Amino acid sequence: MTQPQHTGGRVNVLTKPEVIGTIEELRSRLTDAQSRIESERAERGEAGGTPRVVLVPTMGALHAGHLALVRRGRSLGDIVVVSIFVNPLQFGVGEDLGSYPRMLEADVAALAAEGVPFVFAPTSQLMYPDGAASTRVVAGAVGSLFEGAARPGHFDGMLTVVAKLFNIVGPDVAVFGQKDAQQVFLVERMLADLDFRTRIEIVPIVREDGGLALSSRNRALEPAQRAAARALSAGLEAAASVAAQGVGAALQAAHARIDVQPLVKLDYLVVVDPQTFLPVGGEHHGPARMLVAALVGHTRLIDNVALDLP
Ligand code: AMP
């Protein structure tokens, strides 16, 4: 087992992060790490409150998008915990729970290179001893729009696991990606509505060359599908470039790029108000966000872009 090393008030590792599978062990490691950092600080005569814990929740199969979250996390606190858990509660019947990529060893190796001391990788049995949590968070009306319309119960399941992870880890900050815009909106709402103390930090979407937003699901794309999938980001980019002409022009520009791709089966393309996450009317002015979701083969892809509608 690799011992975390502590330098400059931050926990680093020389080799691999410690992979932790139980709540008790995680809590005791975090308490130990915090008190070590505190005593090191005291020895150096440094001030500073309780060392800050940062959580980066993921479902694993890590890529550069996840690692951008981890790097942001390291800049925000003293101890970064990455959780890796493919949450059955947020997958519907017939979705890709069984085939979702799982590669813990490779993920841990990638996180070692980022200086992450702790990976929390619980089993479903630990998270849901009764098979499914008997108490769940309900995402509310926005939870049944867009991704929630296509994946009923998805956001209730997502919020439930986020609430559990926040209670398990007790982070000061948790880092999320803008890639899942509706998730970010709903997590922020849950934190406000349920008076969580954790605040969240949002990292911009990381894209591959050619614009496709990085996603663990991209692994399932064949080369022709991957090429076709670039129409999504191209459509969003085209929309952003004509946003000055209004919502209609932005939608038209995106459709023009996406609808011509026979391998891309569009689910929704909408412009929402970031304050409410509800679709805007044609006369909307100010900040907005365009969301897109499509099936490419059997792979469901989502993407989004900020629009400034003058
Ligand atoms: P996932 O493992 O897909 O549940 O994602 C874990 C976190 O990584 C979520 O907050 C995602 O929004 C974020 N994420 C996934 N892909 C990207 C990306 N391409 N750019 C930025 N963040 C991402």
Side-chain angles (χ1 to χ4, degrees):
M1 187 171 59
T2 307
Q3 284 304 316
Q5 307 291 311
H6 307 279
T7 51
R10 181 168 281 145
V11 182
N12 282 317
V13 283
L14 293 178
T15 52
K16 280 191 169 180
E18 196 174 345
V19 181
I20 298 173
T22 71
I23 295 170
E24 296 71 25
E25 200 185 349
L26 179 70
R27 287 188 177 145
S28 97
R29 289 291 189 284
L30 285 176
T31 309
D32 289 352
Q34 284 179 309
S35 36
R36 268 198 304 263
I37 292 172
E38 269 180 324
S39 50
E40 283 173 11
R41 279 182 183 160
E43 275 168 28
R44 291 194 300 270
E46 287 173 14
T50 309
R52 290 164 65 77
V53 176
V54 181
L55 172 66
V56 181
T58 80
M59 297 203 300
L62 302 181
H63 51 63
H66 297 112
L67 300 184
L69 271 56
V70 170
R71 276 172 217 155
R72 175 72 68 86
R74 290 195 72 197
S75 74
L76 294 169
D78 304 290
I79 306 166
V80 176
V81 179
V82 175
S83 63
I84 297 182
F85 179 58
V86 182
N87 175 32
L89 227 57
Q90 69 189 65
F91 286 77
V93 177
E95 289 188 0
D96 57 350
L97 174 63
S99 61
Y100 197 88
R102 289 163 173 87
M103 43 189 70
L104 184 61
E105 223 171 287
D107 289 345
V108 170
L111 294 173
E114 299 297 330
V116 169
F118 302 120
V119 172
F120 180 54
T123 59
S124 295
Q125 167 66 24
L126 180 90
M127 294 296 271
Y128 306 117
D130 299 326
S134 51
T135 305
R136 296 194 191 192
V137 179
V138 178
V142 172
S144 48
L145 302 176
F146 317 126
E147 281 309 283
R151 310 181 63 191
H154 167 69
F155 286 119
D156 295 357
M158 179 278 292
L159 290 179
T160 301
V161 83
V162 168
K164 283 175 70 71
L165 289 168
F166 283 15
N167 284 329
I168 291 167
V169 179
D172 297 282
V173 187
V175 189
F176 288 83
Q178 184 60 59
K179 158 104 185 330
D180 297 270
Q182 195 173 1
Q183 168 169 287
V184 163
F185 177 88
L186 290 169
V187 169
E188 274 177 338
R189 266 260 288 263
M190 176 183 76
L191 299 186
D193 288 349
L194 301 185
D195 308 299
F196 276 81
R197 297 168 74 118
T198 302
R199 70 168 188 85
I200 67 168
E201 180 80 10
I202 312 304
V203 170
I205 301 174
V206 178
R207 300 176 179 282
E208 59 179 45
D209 290 348
L212 180 63
L214 295 185
S215 164
S216 306
R217 291 191 165 97
N218 291 354
R219 292 165 204 272
L221 296 174
E222 287 165 10
Q225 293 174 330
R226 182 175 285 258
R230 293 190 188 118
L232 299 177
S233 53
L236 296 178
E237 204 179 311
S241 70
V242 300
Q245 296 163 41
V247 178
L251 285 167
Q252 208 174 5
H255 274 295
R257 298 294 177 95
I258 297 167
D259 296 352
V260 294
Q261 283 294 341
L263 295 180
V264 177
K265 305 281 178 247
L266 186 63
D267 179 1
Y268 58 80
L269 177 69
V270 284
V271 180
V272 298
D273 182 333
Q275 298 298 320
T276 60
F277 225 79
L278 298 175
V280 300
E283 298 309 308
H284 180 85
H285 299 292
R289 193 161 284 277
M290 179 175 271
L291 316 173
V292 67
L295 270 181
V296 180
H298 296 295
T299 307
R300 186 177 176 82
L301 299 177
I302 58 172
D303 201 347
N304 66 87
V305 73
L307 297 183
D308 192 15
L309 300 164

